[in-house]
Amino acid sequence: MKFLHLSCLSLLASFVSSESTFSPARPPAIPLAVKSPYLSTWQAAGGEGGNGGYLVGQWPTFWAGAIIGWTGLIRVDGQAYTWMGAPDNHPTPVNQTDFTYTSTQSIFTMDVGGKVTMKITFLSPVTPEDEKRMSMPFSYMVVDVLSRDGKPHNVQLYTDVSGEWASGDRNQVLQWEQGSHNNTAYHKFYRQNQKEFAEDNQQAAWGNWYYSTADTQGLSYQSGIDTNVRTQFTKNGLLQNIKDAKFRAINDGYPVFGFAKDLGTIYWRPVQTVFTISLAQKNAIQFTNSPGNAEKLPSLWTSYFSDELDALAWFFADKNNVATACTALDTKVEGDSRAAAGQNYATLTTLAVRQAWGALCLAGTTATKYLFLKEISSDGDIQTVDVIFPFFPILMYMNPKLMKLMLDPLYINQNAKVEPPTVTYAIHDLGYYPNALGFPNPNSPPEEQPLEECGNMLIMTLAYAQKTSDVDYLRQNYALLNQWTGFLVNESLYPQNQISTDDFAGPLPNQTNLAVKGIIAIQAMAKIANMTGHTADGASYTKTAQSYIEKWQTLGINHNANPPHTTLNYGHDDTWGNLYNIYADSLLETQLVPKAVYQMQSDYYPQVIGKYGLPLDTRHPWIKSDWALFSAAVASDDTRDKIISSVAIWVDETPIGAPTVDWYDTNGDWPTKGGHFIARPVLGGWFSLLALNQTGIPNHN
Ligand SMILES: *[C@@H]1O[C@H](CO)[C@@H](O)[C@H](O)[C@H]1NC(C)=O
Ligand SMILES: *[C@@H]1O[C@H](CO)[C@@H](O)[C@H](O)[C@H]1NC(C)=O
Ligand SMILES: *[C@@H]1O[C@H](CO)[C@@H](O)[C@H](O)[C@H]1NC(C)=O
Ligand SMILES: *[C@@H]1O[C@H](CO)[C@@H](O)[C@H](O)[C@H]1NC(C)=O
Ligand SMILES: *[C@@H]1O[C@H](CO)[C@@H](O)[C@H](O)[C@H]1NC(C)=O
Ligand SMILES: *[C@@H]1O[C@H](CO)[C@@H](O)[C@H](O)[C@H]1NC(C)=O
């Protein structure tokens, strides 16, 4: 499917005078370098804040919205053009003719004055089976240039990055240097006053940034005031090989770090130039693994390299290997998604991949390592259980073994009793990213979602063990799992007044969807008990879960409605809700929820699906698109396709030009960026169908 966005063109008059195609869709924001919570650079495309999906004419931004200077210029037969960013006094913009995205790549095609064609590929590797590559917050930009009109042309290529990458506080003073290591030329720049484990407006306040390319003939470099360096190139086609001597603030005569490459005479054969942008942090995360003991965890990649320059040069040289692996992953995701539910589904899953993986950080050593997740934008928490839960289908599909690395910090914290032992339910999170320090102070406890998080931990732990056959993990954590189940036996049938994960909707007692999660989780524990030889527990929990699900069907369903459906909460027959928690029953094959309940919901949803998706419940026209896709995964094919296509339409028509938001208004009545959840890893939940053994309504009753 190719979409044309003619309506956007008037906004772009000064930069763009021809139109681009977009395939498979024009996303809300285009991932450029998206590999970790701190390497997260995008080009806003749709709606407010976006320019319609063009690489030139607008600055890239950090996920949180601040400008991240990244510029591209090219000279063809002595005439200069701009192909990325919005520099002052920019030379003529190139004409973008196509944009295509895959799971790991964003690919722009440019027509430069009818003379040459440029293909610019932004590749942020996703390598689920390969922890070394996964652990590196490094990303590629690959520029191919060839003749368009069949004639030879003389070409020079230019690109720079600004100090804006290195801190979200533009008054911070930077230092920089230039060098070369093992044939990789680099600019290195960093905050002079390093603040480990701190953030400035969500950007990291520590670590060294590198902008690199091959150290070959025809390369020149320069650091200096942005306009000076760029003008040097547009006038002369090469840089002066000099370093700006005055270390200063990011916004003080904006220092930029530029490379120019003389490509010589280009003809039929594409000439390729590779650039990498990298963030090297020796330590990545602080983690309290026992009371009073906060450990500094190194970035996992430091285990594989003697120093960061070796890592840099290795990554640079690895481009062809990793591009091959990523293209294979792209093909698999697209093919599997199309086979499961068609092109609209593939449009969504392929868009979700970098956003989901971009919230992760592998930290520790090869012997003891963890996979941390940042709850980007909604709270900045680390290891939020009810954010891991909507994210986790993508891991179940791509590499379920990684789930252990994500659950471990939560189990270590709670087995070690880092928190005062006053609560019997599962913790909500471990603190604020990148500080997983837990909540040892009883006066500042974490947010409470007792029923939600007990259910999530049980469901995710069993799912991990089923997919990997790691029954030992269940044995090791049996005591905690059993304790949380005790809580659910007490609390899940009649949930007290509390918030669910959809906390923006406020607290409510007797929430039908929350209750069913707890009940499914009790049955999950029955399976866990049976798998680990605790047969008495297994029998007793099975009995409890079965009796609860019977009662729940009386309490939570309006049988008299036409068509019948579950309610938002017990006793309120005029309400309805998205019963997304039954997804876990299918994923785990707990066979607790009757097929009739799946069928009833599947038949009901089409009455309430809005223009842009299936809302959460009666209270608001708001959707959580992750939960909508959980329900799609266990609906009949018709309903599934309706939910998926409505979300795909929203992706294409979104009024919000920011990394895809998951919580929005299904009528389009919340068109501004303010208040939305941006760039969250919960898009991993769009992989709900692919995480199931079989898709659709389960074959049991
Ligand atoms: C872009 O396309 C317009 C319309 O076809 C044309 O006038 C203009 O010269 C092109 N610019 C470049 C840089 O190719
Ligand atoms: C330098 O690069 C070469 C070729 O890519 C590679 O074989 C060698 O291992 C690299 N050396 C270091 C120290 O990274
Ligand atoms: C369940 O309720 C019983 C009786 O009130 C109580 O003793 C027990 O501690 C509760 N279990 C949990 C895990 O909260
Ligand atoms: C929950 O529902 C039950 C059964 O309808 C009712 O007895 C109870 O009062 C409700 N709890 C709250 C807090 O409203
Ligand atoms: C657990 O095993 C018991 C028999 O010991 C069986 O009755 C029960 O159905 C099993 N539960 C599950 C969820 O498999
Ligand atoms: C899914 O399929 C795999 C492989 O066929 C099987 O081992 C597993 O038990 C199935 N069920 C779940 C819940 O993963």
Side-chain angles (χ1 to χ4, degrees):
M1 203 182 331
K2 299 233 172 195
F3 294 96
L4 284 179
H5 288 271
L6 300 168
S7 58
C8 304
L9 294 181
S10 56
L11 302 170
L12 302 167
S14 83
F15 265 106
V16 177
S17 47
S18 78
E19 70 221 29
S20 177
T21 47
F22 293 90
S23 176
R26 186 224 50 202
I30 294 169
L32 299 181
V34 178
K35 191 73 199 309
S36 85
Y38 299 132
L39 179 59
S40 184
T41 300
W42 305 72
Q43 185 77 334
E48 180 208 25
N51 74 348
Y54 292 82
L55 186 60
V56 66
Q58 175 181 275
W59 288 117
T61 53
F62 189 62
W63 70 257
I67 286 174
I68 297 288
W70 203 356
T71 302
L73 307 172
I74 189 169
R75 276 170 44 117
V76 178
D77 303 330
Q79 191 184 340
Y81 303 85
T82 309
W83 52 267
M84 174 164 58
D88 288 344
N89 309 317
H90 60 272
T92 319
V94 300
N95 283 331
Q96 181 175 319
T97 57
D98 183 59
F99 168 74
T100 297
Y101 68 81
T102 65
S103 293
T104 63
Q105 303 173 57
S106 296
I107 306 157
F108 297 86
T109 307
M110 310 295 197
D111 172 357
V112 188
K115 293 177 181 163
V116 305
T117 299
M118 296 180 77
K119 191 177 90 171
I120 303 137
T121 303
F122 294 87
L123 165 64
S124 295
V126 173
T127 58
E129 306 275 355
D130 176 345
E131 289 170 3
K132 178 181 181 180
R133 290 181 172 92
M134 194 196 308
S135 68
M136 302 176 85
F138 296 25
S139 192
Y140 299 94
M141 176 174 74
V142 180
V143 183
D144 291 285
V145 185
L146 80 167
S147 176
R148 187 178 187 88
D149 57 8
K151 295 181 186 144
H153 295 287
N154 191 257
V155 176
Q156 295 88 38
L157 191 64
Y158 170 91
T159 175
D160 70 51
V161 293
S162 75
E164 287 154 313
W165 294 75
S167 169
D169 171 1
R170 303 318 194 210
N171 296 312
Q172 283 299 323
V173 173
L174 300 187
Q175 286 192 195
W176 51 80
E177 60 203 67
Q178 194 277 339
S180 182
H181 181 73
N182 205 13
N183 299 320
T184 306
Y186 62 85
H187 285 285
K188 170 182 177 182
F189 56 104
Y190 49 98
R191 224 182 101 138
Q192 193 173 61
N193 169 21
Q194 291 276 301
K195 278 181 82 178
E196 202 169 57
F197 309 125
E199 295 180 344
D200 308 320
N201 297 318
Q202 306 289 326
Q203 289 183 239
W206 81 109
N208 297 325
W209 285 87
Y210 288 91
Y211 197 39
S212 308
T213 190
D215 190 2
T216 53
Q217 246 196 340
L219 181 74
S220 54
Y221 71 88
Q222 190 168 338
S223 52
I225 296 172
D226 53 357
T227 48
N228 292 359
V229 178
R230 292 168 195 152
T231 305
Q232 163 64 32
F233 173 78
T234 52
K235 286 208 173 120
N236 306 299
L238 81 175
L239 300 176
Q240 293 174 302
N241 293 329
I242 52 172
K243 186 183 113 172
D244 189 321
K246 188 184 159 210
F247 295 144
R248 60 184 183 275
I250 291 166
N251 60 9
D252 176 1
Y254 285 87
V256 298
F257 310 98
F259 287 116
K261 178 78 195 294
D262 187 354
L263 304 184
T265 302
I266 62 118
Y267 204 31
W268 291 114
R269 226 164 48 80
V271 176
Q272 184 166 93
T273 314
V274 178
F275 301 91
T276 62
I277 180 79
S278 319
L279 171 58
Q281 293 169 322
K282 189 171 173 301
N283 290 322
I285 298 281
Q286 279 196 99
F287 175 44
T288 300
N289 56 13
S290 57
N293 184 42
E295 279 197 3
K296 295 182 180 195
L297 302 181
S299 297
L300 182 65
W301 60 264
T302 62
S303 288
Y304 301 98
F305 301 99
S306 49
D307 62 37
E308 61 192 38
L309 286 178
D310 276 357
L312 185 77
W314 181 87
F315 182 81
F316 190 84
D318 187 48
K319 183 242 147 195
N320 286 344
N321 297 330
V322 78
T324 303
C326 287
T327 300
L329 179 123
D330 293 350
T331 305
K332 178 169 163 51
V333 171
E334 192 182 349
D336 289 355
S337 303
R338 281 211 188 117
Q343 177 57 47
N344 281 327
Y345 188 48
T347 298
L348 296 182
T349 52
T350 54
L351 180 60
V353 173
R354 279 170 287 173
Q355 179 163 328
W357 286 88
L360 307 184
C361 170
L362 263 175
T365 62
T366 45
T368 310
K369 64 207 165 196
Y370 309 106
L371 184 57
F372 288 98
L373 172 144
K374 180 171 181 179
E375 183 185 342
I376 289 180
S377 99
S378 44
D379 215 1
D381 293 346
I382 186 164
Q383 233 60 359
T384 313
V385 175
D386 62 299
V387 173
I388 296 176
F389 184 72
F391 159 84
F392 101 113
I394 195 172
L395 284 196
M396 290 293 106
Y397 167 66
M398 289 192 174
N399 183 3
K401 288 195 199 110
L402 291 171
M403 203 57 206
K404 176 177 186 298
L405 303 187
M406 199 164 246
L407 293 174
D408 273 347
L410 290 157
Y411 278 114
I412 290 169
N413 164 288
Q414 288 163 99
N415 278 318
K417 302 198 188 318
V418 170
E419 283 73 38
T422 49
V423 294
T424 51
Y425 47 82
I427 200 170
H428 171 269
D429 66 87
L430 292 181
Y432 288 100
Y433 194 93
N435 298 295
L437 302 177
F439 296 86
N441 179 354
N443 297 322
S444 58
E447 185 177 342
E448 294 191 349
Q449 289 178 15
L451 214 164
E452 187 85 60
E453 310 303 22
C454 285
N456 289 339
M457 288 302 290
L458 283 153
I459 291 163
M460 292 194 291
T461 304
L462 175 58
Y464 158 74
Q466 284 177 328
K467 295 256 184 193
T468 62
S469 306
D470 183 0
V471 178
D472 271 351
Y473 201 61
L474 304 177
R475 288 196 193 96
Q476 280 159 32
N477 295 299
Y478 194 83
L480 263 183
L481 291 163
N482 202 31
Q483 176 191 316
W484 295 333
T485 310
F487 181 84
L488 293 176
V489 169
N490 285 357
E491 302 282 342
S492 67
L493 184 57
Y494 299 103
Q496 296 188 21
N497 189 25
Q498 64 193 293
I499 53 171
S500 77
T501 180
D502 306 313
D503 51 3
F504 45 79
L508 199 68
N510 281 331
Q511 296 185 56
T512 305
N513 184 46
L514 194 53
V516 84
K517 169 174 275 179
I519 298 167
I520 292 165
I522 295 170
Q523 181 80 340
M525 186 62 192
K527 283 203 160 206
I528 291 170
N530 283 357
M531 286 163 81
T532 53
H534 298 83
T535 45
D537 285 354
S540 140
Y541 289 140
T542 303
K543 227 173 111 204
T544 303
Q546 275 164 355
S547 104
Y548 282 11
I549 201 73
E550 286 301 318
K551 293 183 181 134
W552 174 89
Q553 288 174 78
T554 308
L555 293 161
I557 296 176
N558 180 352
H559 293 278
N560 300 319
N562 185 20
H565 54 80
T566 56
T567 57
L568 170 61
N569 60 340
Y570 300 165
H572 295 263
D573 273 352
D574 51 337
T575 64
W576 55 267
N578 176 351
L579 193 71
Y580 56 82
N581 279 325
I582 59 173
Y583 172 74
D585 176 62
S586 281
L587 180 71
L588 302 173
E589 296 171 353
T590 36
Q591 309 207 329
L592 189 68
V593 178
K595 184 177 176 181
V597 171
Y598 285 88
Q599 192 66 57
M600 172 182 73
Q601 291 302 101
S602 180
D603 291 344
Y604 183 70
Y605 293 144
Q607 337 289 314
V608 290
I609 293 174
K611 183 176 178 201
Y612 295 133
L614 173 64
L616 278 172
D617 58 61
T618 326
R619 287 171 288 184
H620 305 278
W622 299 336
I623 189 177
K624 288 284 279 80
S625 63
D626 43 352
W627 302 142
L629 270 277
F630 270 48
S631 284
V634 296
S636 65
D637 292 2
D638 271 7
T639 299
R640 179 196 70 198
D641 292 348
K642 281 198 181 91
I643 295 172
I644 288 171
S645 68
S646 58
V647 174
I649 290 171
W650 185 84
V651 160
D652 193 53
E653 294 183 359
T654 181
I656 302 151
T660 306
V661 310
D662 49 292
W663 171 39
Y664 60 85
D665 186 301
T666 50
N667 302 324
D669 288 340
W670 180 7
T672 52
K673 213 151 87 173
H676 277 102
F677 295 163
I678 294 169
R680 300 205 313 161
V682 303
L683 293 203
W686 287 357
F687 281 79
S688 52
L689 258 85
L690 296 179
L692 292 177
N693 266 1
Q694 299 119 358
T695 54
I697 293 174
N699 257 332
H700 66 82
N701 40 42

